[in-house]
Amino acid sequence: METFVNHSITIAPDASHPKFVKLDCASASDDAGLKMALLQLQSLHNGLATTPFPAEVPGPPPQSINPGRTPHVEQLKKKGNEHFGKKEHQQALQLYTQALDVAISRPPWEPCQMASEEIATLLSNRSAAFLQAGAAPEAYADAHFCIVTRPNWSKGYFRCAKAQIQLDKLKAALQTLERGLAYEPTNSDLLALKAEVEDALLDSNLSRWL
């Protein structure tokens, strides 16, 4: 079992310099090790007190951005869009995934807003490609994380609702669209899709009574 001894140390001004102090301990006279430790601590303090530090501490270096990363992401996204327009879903998905890998690899010192906007856009595009390829669960997952990454962007809610419709989750799709409209109340895409979902829900409810 370890034991510890409590030593009372006094700190007093040193007349030789306004920033210097003297450290003393009543038991130091009987303990050479303690006396040496006090002298070292006193010397360290007095040395730091007179070190000529700059009056103002310089700020952090400017944020360093890899100039080639964004063009690379844009090039992959553009190629993915071309394949998407031709309904070449697998090629589009592959290119969007590659672009996401590059965007996600941004180091933490680069602006987070830049990364979140890139990632959200690519997730939205890949969600649309998944949906066209008939992979509604994957489309929903990408749209969900698009919303998480950029919650004030209407496109994520639009993509998410489209996937939920394919999954026959009409009530959930309606809730998603209402969340998106809370950010953009006049968004035409959200309003049009909301009207479609409301009509589909009405038809579904009527059919139960026929």
Side-chain angles (χ1 to χ4, degrees):
M1 179 178 179
E2 291 184 293
T3 59
F4 300 89
V5 180
N6 185 26
H7 297 283
S8 297
I9 299 173
T10 59
I11 304 174
D14 190 333
S16 64
H17 194 283
K19 294 184 178 181
F20 284 3
V21 297
K22 284 185 176 181
L23 302 180
D24 194 16
C25 180
S27 56
S29 58
D30 300 326
D31 189 332
L34 176 59
K35 186 175 183 179
M36 178 60 68
L38 285 175
L39 287 173
Q40 290 175 343
L41 183 58
Q42 177 179 298
S43 176
L44 175 63
H45 172 275
N46 293 343
L48 291 173
T50 55
T51 300
F53 289 114
E56 295 184 3
V57 177
Q63 291 176 322
S64 176
I65 300 175
N66 184 341
R69 192 185 309 275
T70 296
H72 189 196
V73 170
E74 288 298 318
Q75 183 182 25
L76 290 168
K77 184 180 73 173
K78 182 179 178 181
K79 289 181 178 179
N81 291 344
E82 291 173 357
H83 285 289
F84 179 78
K86 298 175 183 178
K87 299 188 183 302
E88 297 170 347
H89 308 125
Q90 294 305 317
Q91 294 91 327
L93 287 168
Q94 184 178 6
L95 287 160
Y96 290 146
T97 301
Q98 290 175 8
L100 271 167
D101 290 341
V102 177
I104 292 171
S105 69
R106 283 188 181 278
W109 59 78
E110 292 192 5
C112 61
Q113 182 178 357
M114 177 186 298
S116 64
E117 290 180 359
E118 273 184 353
I119 292 168
T121 301
L122 291 167
L123 285 170
S124 171
N125 289 9
R126 195 171 70 171
S127 175
F130 271 129
L131 198 63
Q132 277 198 3
E138 290 82 355
Y140 170 77
D142 271 0
H144 171 75
F145 285 110
C146 175
I147 293 172
V148 171
T149 305
R150 195 177 173 188
N152 60 344
W153 189 39
S154 63
K155 187 67 73 173
Y157 297 95
F158 180 81
R159 298 292 187 211
C160 188
K162 293 282 281 187
Q164 289 169 320
I165 292 168
Q166 289 296 315
L167 293 167
D168 200 24
K169 303 290 184 182
L170 294 179
K171 290 183 179 180
L174 183 60
Q175 293 173 350
T176 297
L177 291 165
E178 289 172 345
R179 287 168 57 203
L181 286 166
Y183 289 103
E184 296 185 33
T186 60
N187 185 280
S188 58
D189 290 335
L190 295 181
L191 288 170
L193 189 58
K194 181 173 180 284
E196 291 180 20
V197 172
E198 288 173 335
D199 288 344
L201 282 170
L202 182 61
D203 292 342
S204 176
N205 290 332
L206 287 173
S207 64
R208 294 176 183 177
W209 295 97
L210 297 177

